[in-house]
Amino acid sequence: MQTKILLDEEQMPKRWYNVQAELKTPLDPPLHPQTKKPIGPDDLKAIFPMELIRQEVTTERYIDIPAEVQDVLRLWRPSPLYRAHRLEKFLKTPAKIYYKWEGVSPAGSHKPNTSVPQAYYNMKAGVERIATETGAGQWGSALAFATMLYDLECTIYMVRSSYTQKPYRKSMMQAWGAECIPSPSTKTKCGQAMLQKDPDTPGSLGMAISEAVEDAASHANTNYALGSVLNHVCLHQTIIGQECREQLAMVDEYPDVVIGCVGGGSNFAGIAFPFAGDILTGKHKDVDLIGVEPASCPTLTKGLYTYDLADEAGYTPLLKMFTLGHDFVPPSIHAGGLRYHGDSPIVSRLVHDGVMRAVSYHQSEVFLAAQTFARTEGIIVAPETSHAVKGAIDEALKCKKSGEKKTILFNCSGHGNFDMSAYDAYFAGKLVDFEYPDELIKQAIGRIPKVP
Ligand SMILES: *Cc1c(COP(=O)(O)O)cnc(C)c1O
């Protein structure tokens, strides 16, 4: 009975997989926030290095991972694939459950898969400092780790509600030499305006993105980096799904169901895009790709597929995506990394086209799933990850009913070692389930800029 399926270091994928190559019609281009005309590379030059801009738009199927980036990724990659024997037994399911464990990275999640190449390309372009936002603190710590490796400075705007909930994430960023500021802050013009509007705002990813973009755009030596949503971020995460495919092949398996939690979509993209490619090229038609999101921030399940801003202040291009409206402020649930109003344009397109689908859950049921996982497999997952665990458990229970022996694969995106206050709230019975009212979603969607 094999439990861990491991690849040798030499078997780590040497290329990222670009699912844009398989789309019959190209993605709708990003639009300039003022002119509403498609933007070109020049519009992004102020905040991104050229190589990342190229990766954002290319339809090349494979992109080589630079050797210097591979060297760093090998600190924790290839990551292990586990067969969840104990969880299967507990659920009495005929299904086979596999999970890809991304919590082995130094920052504890999948995010260093992209923070490392992003910091690398910025260093190559001569950039001295990177500004970014972080929700739960996972991205901030991943970028702090990566910028340290390449001798860059790093400024991180952290959503205020998470900054208060997770003080040790800030300490982690400091340990790697980065500066972490609660957002909205008085450091930026847009932050000052947001505080004036609502001094007690819990903040949002949309607000923190605006602050980081303003910081980067107003300093010549500074660039901006995003931990999710954008095409190049999803591209860097495809190392996960490529490894999974090889690891499953080692035990003569191919998944029937692939599951990931969805904040901006990058870890789901990472595990699912290689399999989405199999669907789009007709190699395997019957893979069920499921993104799991919180019922309190139901972007893919209740949002609109349209052009919207990626941030609150309107500094970023308009992206065609599922959105709840750029000024949507989701409740302060514990899965801080899933509180984003929009989603990856590629994930959105694939959901819109019916290649992938999405489901949503309340936080108390996902914490119960996380508890079940901790008490069977031992790993204490991040609140974000617990959404994927819940999705996998539900699929396995469906198999129990139907008697199907499906192979279920899910992305175990990160550990919850810094999220114990969330577990405390769960154990104390203090978690409140919040279904965002349809009326408020409708109002926020009504404020999305009109595109001719
Ligand atoms: C950030 C984060 C997520 C959500 O972000 P995606 O871009 O949707 O993957 C999920 N899990 C963990 C552990 C995270 O840190």
Side-chain angles (χ1 to χ4, degrees), residues 5-17 65 70 73-74 76-81 100-102 104 113 236-250 253 270-271 274-275 409 411:
I5 302 154
L6 303 172
L7 293 170
D8 291 333
E9 280 188 19
E10 315 80 70
Q11 291 171 294
M12 189 178 82
K14 310 241 169 349
R15 311 181 290 184
W16 293 301
Y17 170 66
I65 306 176
Q70 289 184 36
L73 294 180
R74 269 196 299 272
W76 70 94
R77 304 209 73 88
S79 69
L81 180 75
K100 180 69 163 165
W101 182 217
E102 289 295 309
V104 291
N113 295 332
H236 299 158
Q237 295 295 352
T238 58
I239 194 163
I240 301 173
Q242 293 183 78
E243 284 181 5
C244 285
R245 199 201 327 244
E246 285 179 48
Q247 286 163 310
L248 286 172
M250 286 163 70
E253 292 271 16
I271 197 160
F275 299 104
L409 168 68
N411 200 1

Side-chain angles (χ1 to χ4, degrees), residues 7-143:
L7 293 170
D8 291 333
E9 280 188 19
E10 315 80 70
Q11 291 171 294
M12 189 178 82
K14 310 241 169 349
R15 311 181 290 184
W16 293 301
Y17 170 66
N18 182 12
V19 75
Q20 283 195 73
E22 324 300 354
L23 297 176
K24 297 233 160 49
T25 56
L27 288 176
D28 295 297
L31 304 180
H32 193 280
Q34 265 95 50
T35 65
K36 313 237 161 70
K37 298 251 157 52
I39 56 164
D42 281 352
D43 295 300
L44 298 171
K45 254 184 5 205
I47 58 169
F48 290 119
M50 220 43 197
E51 177 55 23
L52 291 177
I53 297 172
R54 190 186 76 79
Q55 292 179 9
E56 189 64 19
V57 296
T58 183
T59 54
E60 264 172 79
R61 184 162 286 114
Y62 290 101
I63 290 156
D64 289 336
I65 306 176
E68 296 98 315
V69 171
Q70 289 184 36
D71 286 344
V72 175
L73 294 180
R74 269 196 299 272
L75 285 172
W76 70 94
R77 304 209 73 88
S79 69
L81 180 75
Y82 282 84
R83 171 91 185 265
H85 290 296
R86 288 163 193 278
L87 178 61
E88 289 171 19
K89 207 165 155 197
F90 174 82
L91 298 173
K92 300 191 175 69
T93 174
K96 288 180 255 182
I97 305 174
Y98 290 89
Y99 60 94
K100 180 69 163 165
W101 182 217
E102 289 295 309
V104 291
S105 77
S109 76
H110 64 286
K111 291 200 171 79
N113 295 332
T114 184
S115 68
V116 171
Q118 289 195 49
Y120 169 78
Y121 291 122
N122 274 292
M123 176 273 290
K124 280 283 178 195
V127 170
E128 292 167 8
R129 184 170 70 99
I130 301 185
T132 196
E133 74 292 328
T134 192
Q138 297 261 23
W139 169 243
S141 35
L143 191 66

Side-chain angles (χ1 to χ4, degrees), residues 108-111 136-139 227-229 233 237 261-269 337-338 343 382-385 412-415:
S109 76
H110 64 286
K111 291 200 171 79
Q138 297 261 23
W139 169 243
S228 187
V229 181
V233 180
Q237 295 295 352
C261 64
V262 180
S266 74
N267 89 86
F268 176 52
L338 306 186
D343 243 306
E384 291 82 4
T385 311
C412 206
S413 55
H415 68 64

